[in-house]
Amino acid sequence: MPDTQSSLKIVSVEGFATSFPVRQGVTLGIGRAVKRDALIVKVITEGGLVGWGESHHGRCPGAIAQLINTTLRQLVTGMEAHDVVGVWARIYARQLASHGMGTACALAMSGIDQALWDIRGKAVGWPLYKLLGGSRRPVPAYAGGISLGFQPPAALVDEVAALRAQGYRAVKLRFGDSVARDVERLEAIRRAFGAELKIMVDANTGYRLDDVRRVMPALVAMDVAWLEEPFPPQDYRDYRHAAALGGVPLAAGENHYTRFEFNRLIREESVQVLQPDLSKTGGITEGLRIAAMASGEKLAIHPHTSASGLNMAASIHLLSAIENPGYFEADVARENLFRDQLTTRPDRLDADGNVMPGEAPGLGIEVDEDFLRAHPVIEGPAYV
């Protein structure tokens, strides 16, 4: 048994890139899914405590794992696991701020940061939400993840019906096909389930400004909660013009990294729904900073979900601790071995469509290391 009172000095950092092929790939605005990737991070302390985290793969899991297993490992080994601010600052100064790999570094350091928070919770015997100053409270969930793609309307209605039967009271539909087909699917879902179902839509950066101009009246008429990522994250001008069209709030953030990019996103006031991913934006430490910035403008945080139970648990714990929580994005993909086999699941839904943070120390998630060995990374694009 590890001695939780012994040194929390970091002695090992390792990133594991893993993949599995998808048999029935969902088609989204970014293409048809042919595989799923994940990147799991393991940190061990001198006292024997083990922390787990998840870095987003950035569609290049081997490269992100290599960054963790070389440069970042050398930077943080020997530091104290409790010093999440110090570890973050060291990686920022030595790698992210200048002459580094930019976004790739933000992805890589996110998993390390999660693992350190997992260790902190295990060291004191507290679940993460309690360590963050929160309480065990219900968190509303919507059905998202890699699901609800470009099916014919009737098939999409059947899929949403199954999700409603599970208890979901909100769903996210995929846009970015064509405006006409996107609206056809949206109208079919609204007709089938009425006003009680909350609907969000996500264009996966597949729209142009004219598409938003054309689709906005239908979004208003169908009472859509938000239009997510109509454009790539760097297209600030298009976001500004699209926001001026009014009617439905714009959502973004899963492809914005660190508080510095969110500072601009908040300041420009084009995006009203903020969606940092704790496996992308710099981890839990940076997620707390972003949430605090957003609370100053009365903006809620709706985290984007990555692949495994580690990211999901981190998001649920964060939402249970901040004062401006939004929705938890549940991954309802038909095929997700990272959710169903690699890790235990933290996202069990109650009868009211909510999830709850776990009570086990840290993130409270177990990882099957045999799965990692049995599912090595598959090189190549995840979408075609």
Side-chain angles (χ1 to χ4, degrees):
M1 293 289 292
D3 181 0
T4 58
Q5 302 305 313
S6 295
S7 172
L8 291 179
K9 183 182 294 184
I10 298 167
V11 296
S12 176
V13 177
E14 188 169 5
F16 301 88
T18 179
S19 307
F20 68 88
V22 173
R23 293 167 296 178
Q24 297 177 324
V26 175
T27 299
L28 315 173
I30 51 178
R32 178 175 58 84
V34 294
K35 66 164 181 164
R36 290 199 70 166
D37 302 310
L39 180 52
I40 306 303
V41 180
K42 181 181 183 181
V43 176
I44 304 176
T45 70
E46 189 174 65
L49 283 176
V50 176
W52 293 97
E54 180 179 352
S55 288
H56 194 274
H57 50 79
R59 300 196 203 171
C60 199
I64 308 301
Q66 181 72 359
L67 178 57
I68 291 170
N69 293 331
T70 54
T71 303
L72 300 194
R73 172 190 289 167
Q74 292 182 31
L75 285 174
V76 306
T77 297
M79 297 187 71
E80 296 290 330
H82 64 79
D83 186 15
V84 291
V85 173
V87 169
W88 208 102
R90 181 172 176 80
I91 294 175
Y92 178 78
R94 299 291 190 271
Q95 181 69 17
L96 183 59
S98 174
H99 297 81
M101 292 182 69
T103 295
C105 182
L107 299 174
M109 68 197 296
S110 294
I112 294 173
D113 183 82
Q114 284 184 24
L116 297 182
W117 278 99
D118 192 30
I119 288 170
R120 294 180 97 207
K122 290 172 179 176
V124 300
W126 281 8
L128 180 59
Y129 77 83
K130 189 177 291 187
L131 198 64
L132 297 176
S135 61
R136 194 165 191 266
R137 61 195 189 211
V139 176
Y142 71 85
I146 303 177
S147 63
L148 299 172
F150 294 167
Q151 302 96 315
L156 192 61
V157 167
D158 290 342
E159 189 169 348
V160 172
L163 294 169
R164 289 282 288 144
Q166 293 176 35
Y168 286 102
R169 299 183 177 186
V171 301
K172 186 165 73 180
L173 306 181
R174 298 293 179 168
F175 273 31
D177 184 1
S178 73
V179 170
R181 288 190 291 270
D182 290 343
V183 170
E184 182 183 14
R185 295 186 185 97
L186 171 62
E187 291 177 341
I189 296 302
R190 182 57 81 204
R191 283 196 305 270
F193 301 101
E196 292 184 0
L197 180 67
K198 196 177 191 72
I199 300 175
M200 302 83 161
V201 300
D202 182 357
N204 288 116
T205 74
Y207 268 3
R208 297 182 178 181
L209 184 58
D210 188 56
D211 296 320
V212 176
R213 186 176 290 109
R214 291 167 56 208
V215 81
M216 190 61 76
L219 301 185
V220 174
M222 294 295 107
D223 193 25
V224 167
W226 71 60
L227 169 61
E228 183 173 333
E229 279 206 315
F231 318 117
Q234 301 84 8
D235 292 0
Y236 289 96
R237 179 179 180 275
D238 281 349
Y239 274 100
R240 186 168 63 252
H241 286 295
L245 297 173
V248 170
L250 302 182
E254 69 175 88
N255 289 309
H256 290 83
Y257 302 90
T258 75
R259 65 190 182 276
F260 306 111
E261 291 194 6
F262 275 87
N263 181 47
R264 176 173 179 176
L265 204 61
I266 293 169
R267 189 175 67 248
E268 293 201 350
E269 300 183 348
S270 301
V271 173
Q272 298 298 310
V273 179
L274 300 178
Q275 301 172 301
D277 186 324
L278 299 182
S279 292
K280 286 185 169 187
T281 200
I284 295 163
T285 301
E286 197 72 344
L288 290 168
R289 293 164 172 163
I290 292 166
M293 289 167 53
S295 72
E297 301 295 333
K298 304 296 185 181
L299 296 174
I301 297 295
H302 307 262
H304 173 263
T305 293
S306 288
S308 83
L310 292 163
N311 173 280
M312 297 173 192
S315 297
I316 295 169
H317 281 290
L318 182 88
L319 288 167
S320 298
I322 60 176
E323 66 174 0
N324 51 334
Y327 273 93
F328 166 70
E329 180 180 12
D331 181 0
V332 297
R334 293 178 182 177
E335 294 180 85
N336 185 356
L337 302 185
F338 305 138
R339 175 196 63 202
D340 300 332
Q341 295 183 20
L342 171 59
T343 62
T344 50
R345 294 189 63 166
D347 59 334
R348 301 299 180 185
L349 205 67
D350 68 18
D352 296 318
N354 300 315
V355 294
M356 295 279 285
E359 291 283 41
L363 291 174
I365 298 297
E366 298 176 8
V367 177
D368 183 353
E369 295 188 63
D370 290 335
F371 179 98
L372 295 173
R373 287 185 283 270
H375 295 82
V377 66
I378 300 171
E379 303 293 350
Y383 297 89
V384 297

